[in-house]
Amino acid sequence: GAESMMALMNNGDLYAWGYNAYGQLGLNNTTEYNTPTLTASGVADVWGQEKVNYSTGYAAFFHRKTAGGLYAVGYNGNGQLGIGSTTNATSWTAVTSPSSVTIRAVFPLCGYTGWTFAQDTAGQIYVTGWNAGGQHGNGTTTQATSFYNVSAFWGTGTINACYGGAYYYNTVANANNGHTHMWLSDNTIRSAGDNTWGQLGNGTTTASTSVVTLNTGGAAFGTIKDFTSHAIGSNYVLNTAGQVYFWGHNNVYYQAGISTTSALILTPTLALSTGDANARILSKYCGANTNEYYSRCYIGTSTVTYVAGYNSANNQYGNGSQVQATTWQTLPTFCNNAVMLGAYSSLGDASGSTYVLQTANGKYYTWGYNAQYGVSATGAQYPLATPMKSPNSYNYYTYRDWE
C-alpha cells in the first residue's frame, strides 16, 4: 500500500501503521499512526496494492478471516473495495459478494482509478471497480461497486500474477482508462483494456474490452517461468530457457534493452537470452502496479545481474553509470544470486529510485536516490552510484542494523 503498511502475525492478529487519509488502516479514523496498531484479529491472509497511483495515498486493503468472509478498507472512489458503494471505508467492511465462496487471492490494482480482481478456491475470477478502459475484460466499460464473476471471459486457471496500470496521473481525466494483465496456470498471459502503448501485445494500439490471450500452446514464449508488468505497460516474460520477452511501452528509455528507437513494441519480442534456466526476474515487485513513465527491469542469474530501462544522474542502474543505455547493462558481480527486497520510487520516478538487495551471503546492499536517507551512514542527500553495503544507519523514522 505504498505509505500505508500491514503486518499479519502468526496468531492471526493484523497490525497497521502509516498514512491513513482515507481510513486504509482500518482503525475507524483518518489519523496517521507511527507505530504498528492492532486493526483486526482472526485473519488468515491480507492483500494490498504492491504499489499505487502517482499519488500514493489512495490505498485499499483486503483481508480474509480464518472463519471465512472477505473484508475491505480504504479508498473506494471507484468501487474498488466491492462493498456496494463508492464511499471510503475507515473500518473493515464486509465485501458484498461473492459471499458464499472462499477467496484464495485478491489483486487490488492502481489506486485513485482503482479496480480489484479476486479468485476463489474453485478458480472462479471476480472483479469490481473502475472499468473505463474495459479492463474488466467483459466486453463493456461499465463500472462496478460489487464483485461479479468474469470467469467466462478470463478462464478459470489459477492466477499466478495480476497487474494493472492507469497511466501516470491521479485524476480520472488523465488516467488513460487502465489495463489488466494476468498470468494464468494454463501458460497464457491474458489482458484487456487500454492499449495506447501496445501493452496488450496483439500488434495494435487499439483498446480491447474483450480479453486478449497471448502464448496459446506456448507459441509466443514457450513455457512461462515468471512475468511482470511495469509502469504504464512495459511487459517482461521470462521462460524456462532463461529467455526474456518484451512488449509494450519502450519510449526513449529502452525498457526492452534491444537498442530499438521504437517507442512501442506491439508484439512479444526476444529481448535477452541469459542462457541460464535458473534466471529470475528480480524486480517483479519493485515496479509493478505503478503508473510511472520511467521504469526499469532487473534480471538475475547465477553469474550476471542485468538491468534495462530508465537511468539518470540518480544512478538507478546501480552500476556506477549515469548514462541512459540502449541495451541491457550489468551490475557488480557481488549482486549475483541476490534477492531484490524492494524499491522506493519518488514522484514519477524521474527524481530517482532507491533499491535494496540481499546477496547470497545475507548482506544488504542499496543504491540510487538518497533523499529518503537510511542508505548511508551520514544520511547525506546524494545519489549512490554503485551498490554499497548498508551500515547501521538512521533515516527519518527508524534505526536499523543492516548487518
Side-chain angles (χ1 to χ4, degrees), residues 40-100:
S41 298
V43 176
D45 213 339
V46 62
W47 300 274
Q49 294 108 320
E50 292 155 10
K51 201 170 183 183
V52 297
N53 274 53
Y54 201 43
S55 182
T56 56
Y58 299 95
F61 289 96
F62 294 80
H63 79 248
R64 177 173 56 84
K65 292 286 190 184
T66 303
L70 184 66
Y71 295 81
V73 74
Y75 184 75
N76 192 38
N78 292 287
Q80 55 261 59
L81 297 186
I83 58 176
S85 73
T86 56
T87 302
N88 298 338
T90 62
S91 59
W92 291 101
T93 303
V95 169
T96 54
S97 64
S99 58
S100 58

Side-chain angles (χ1 to χ4, degrees), residues 103-318:
I103 296 297
R104 62 162 290 270
V106 180
F107 305 92
L109 304 178
C110 293
Y112 185 82
T113 52
W115 62 102
T116 306
F117 278 88
Q119 186 171 46
D120 67 23
T121 52
Q124 296 294 299
I125 298 173
Y126 309 85
V127 69
T128 186
W130 181 251
N131 190 33
Q135 58 264 46
H136 289 190
N138 67 340
T140 77
T141 56
T142 304
Q143 183 172 312
T145 60
S146 296
F147 282 98
Y148 66 99
N149 197 313
V150 288
S151 301
F153 310 102
W154 291 92
T156 55
T158 300
I159 301 174
N160 294 322
C162 184
Y163 303 111
Y167 208 48
Y168 61 99
Y169 289 108
N170 67 328
T171 65
V172 171
N174 292 321
N176 218 34
N177 299 329
H179 61 269
T180 301
H181 298 296
M182 281 187 197
W183 169 29
L184 295 177
S185 59
D186 64 358
N187 196 41
T188 63
I189 304 294
R190 304 190 182 200
S191 308
D194 181 64
N195 197 27
T196 302
W197 308 103
Q199 59 263 47
L200 301 187
N202 62 349
T204 77
T205 57
T206 303
S208 177
T209 61
S210 300
V211 175
V212 173
T213 301
L214 298 179
N215 205 47
T216 300
F221 319 117
T223 302
I224 301 170
K225 181 179 181 180
D226 208 349
F227 167 63
T228 191
S229 178
H230 288 188
I232 56 176
S234 300
N235 303 297
Y236 302 84
V237 161
L238 174 68
N239 68 17
T240 53
Q243 297 173 312
V244 178
Y245 286 82
F246 176 93
W247 71 98
H249 180 257
N250 188 48
N251 204 327
V252 296
Y253 303 121
Y254 302 93
Q255 279 92 344
I258 55 176
S259 294
T260 179
T261 57
S262 173
L264 309 179
I265 296 178
L266 301 181
T267 57
T269 301
L270 182 63
L272 177 67
S273 293
T274 69
D276 188 344
N278 296 315
R280 296 165 295 130
I281 298 176
L282 296 180
S283 52
K284 185 172 182 180
Y285 300 109
C286 300
N289 276 359
T290 78
N291 39 21
E292 294 157 354
Y293 192 70
Y294 310 88
S295 68
R296 68 207 58 81
C297 184
Y298 292 85
I299 303 293
T301 74
S302 57
T303 57
V304 183
T305 303
Y306 299 92
V307 60
Y310 179 71
N311 193 36
S312 74
N314 291 304
N315 307 290
Q316 288 93 335
Y317 284 172

